[in-house]
Amino acid sequence: MKLSIALLLTAGSATAFAPSSLVQSSYSRHLNLATKSVFCKHSALCMSAAEANVAESAAIAEKDTDTTTSEFPPILQELREVAMRLHTREQAPREGKAEEPQKPAEPYVPTQADYLQFLVDSYVVYVALEEIVNEVDALALFRNSGLERTQALETDIAYMCERFDLQRPDAGKAGSMYAAQLKNMIKSDEDVPEFMCHYYNFYFAHLAGGRMIGKQMSKLLLDGEALEFYKWGENVNGMKDTVKGQIEELAKGWNRQERDSCIDATAAAFMGGGGINGYLYGRNPH
């Protein structure tokens, strides 16, 4: 059973955050080069989440094109165009421009301890995101959106520790560094566009490809049980549409330089999320 799931993970992966050589070269300007070792260049978890994110982004662009009266295209459309160039041809056949990474000889089979570390690192990043949204007046629109994940993750982390007799680990390097990066990002309202790229990519990658990861981990590690992390209630599509509309509303007030600040953060956002996914394919020690 584990082998069959591992083969599934090889065919289908977690990269709404799929860093490639293009992403890495861009990201090195934003974060210390030493962090490259924790990000997923050679993920055994690569396709299905990326495909889901492509479909999600395409739907966003199509839906929003006719609803924005700005002199610029919808910001989510601009973000999508950049994100597609950071995918490989295999992930995004029409738009991908990144080199195909070398696939591992043997797919890595994650353990309950790997999954727990993934949840803990995800938790510290969501804590950082929620704290920033609650502290910065310009981001008040995004408070209590329904997409928040910290309480669900607290429940799941406690459950994993109890069920599998595991001790709660400290946050690892990937989560700690990304959370710190986010907290240091916001110095004034001028930094909001850059932050919004990270906010959008982290929350919506989880809503797209992240759900595929959850299903795969559930089959492999939890006897089919779904964690609270992957539950949003019946109105999740309505919540998504509301937040997308709020992002577009916020971006209407941005000039070209501010929009570019948001778009140019895409590679860094992919790398931040991809580092945490690394716990699920054996690239991050813990």
Side-chain angles (χ1 to χ4, degrees):
M1 178 64 174
K2 284 191 175 183
L3 178 59
S4 65
I5 296 293
L7 293 174
L8 172 63
L9 296 180
T10 303
S13 143
T15 38
F17 304 112
S20 63
S21 56
L22 284 176
V23 180
Q24 291 180 341
S25 62
S26 175
Y27 185 63
S28 64
R29 297 194 299 271
H30 301 276
L31 193 61
N32 192 299
L33 289 170
T35 65
K36 283 187 177 181
S37 62
V38 302
F39 297 117
C40 57
K41 183 178 180 182
H42 303 299
S43 173
L45 300 164
C46 251
M47 275 298 299
S48 60
E51 290 170 342
N53 205 47
V54 169
E56 171 101 359
S57 299
I60 291 166
E62 182 177 350
K63 175 178 266 188
D64 290 338
T65 298
D66 297 330
T67 62
T68 300
T69 58
S70 167
E71 63 179 297
F72 303 111
I75 190 63
L76 298 184
Q77 178 181 326
E78 293 195 66
L79 285 169
R80 176 191 176 277
E81 290 170 356
V82 174
M84 290 306 95
R85 293 198 295 270
L86 298 178
H87 287 80
T88 66
R89 287 287 185 183
E90 185 179 5
Q91 294 166 338
R94 290 185 298 176
E95 299 168 277
K97 296 184 181 297
E99 295 180 7
E100 297 287 347
Q102 180 180 348
K103 294 182 178 179
E106 295 291 335
Y108 181 79
V109 180
T111 65
Q112 282 94 3
D114 293 329
Y115 197 25
L116 177 60
Q117 189 69 63
F118 165 82
L119 296 173
V120 169
D121 277 45
S122 296
Y123 173 78
V124 299
V125 175
Y126 279 109
V127 167
L129 289 166
E130 291 180 22
E131 287 180 349
I132 292 166
V133 166
N134 288 331
E135 291 170 2
V136 177
D137 289 341
L139 299 172
L141 273 174
F142 304 98
R143 295 171 189 167
N144 302 313
S145 68
L147 300 183
E148 293 84 5
R149 295 290 86 198
T150 52
Q151 291 184 3
L153 280 164
E154 279 282 17
T155 299
D156 291 336
I157 290 167
Y159 165 78
M160 291 286 292
C161 290
E162 181 177 356
R163 177 172 176 182
F164 300 108
D165 194 25
L166 297 168
Q167 287 194 337
R168 179 171 179 155
D170 294 333
K173 183 178 181 181
S176 297
M177 291 186 69
Y178 191 34
Q181 180 193 0
L182 292 169
K183 290 176 181 178
N184 291 330
M185 188 177 295
I186 296 284
K187 304 297 184 185
S188 69
D189 286 354
E190 294 180 358
D191 303 313
V192 166
E194 179 184 4
F195 171 79
M196 284 309 302
C197 180
H198 292 266
Y199 175 94
Y200 170 70
N201 275 286
F202 204 78
Y203 276 102
F204 282 82
H206 179 56
L207 281 160
R211 287 192 280 187
M212 293 188 179
I213 299 173
K215 289 178 180 178
Q216 293 167 348
M217 295 299 103
S218 173
K219 292 177 183 178
L220 175 62
L221 302 173
L222 304 178
D223 296 325
E225 186 167 351
L227 296 182
E228 295 301 311
F229 187 31
Y230 304 98
K231 299 176 184 178
W232 290 267
E234 296 181 359
N235 194 33
V236 61
N237 289 329
M239 289 189 291
K240 287 163 60 177
D241 288 343
T242 296
V243 174
K244 291 171 193 173
Q246 290 168 339
I247 294 172
E248 291 293 355
E249 189 64 28
L250 178 65
K252 283 181 183 179
W254 295 347
N255 59 33
R256 185 68 261 171
Q257 182 178 355
E258 290 168 326
R259 294 172 76 89
D260 287 343
S261 175
C262 178
I263 295 162
D264 290 346
T266 301
F270 272 41
M271 294 296 282
I276 296 170
N277 289 346
Y279 293 113
L280 301 180
Y281 57 88
R283 296 288 295 180
N284 293 351
H286 60 92

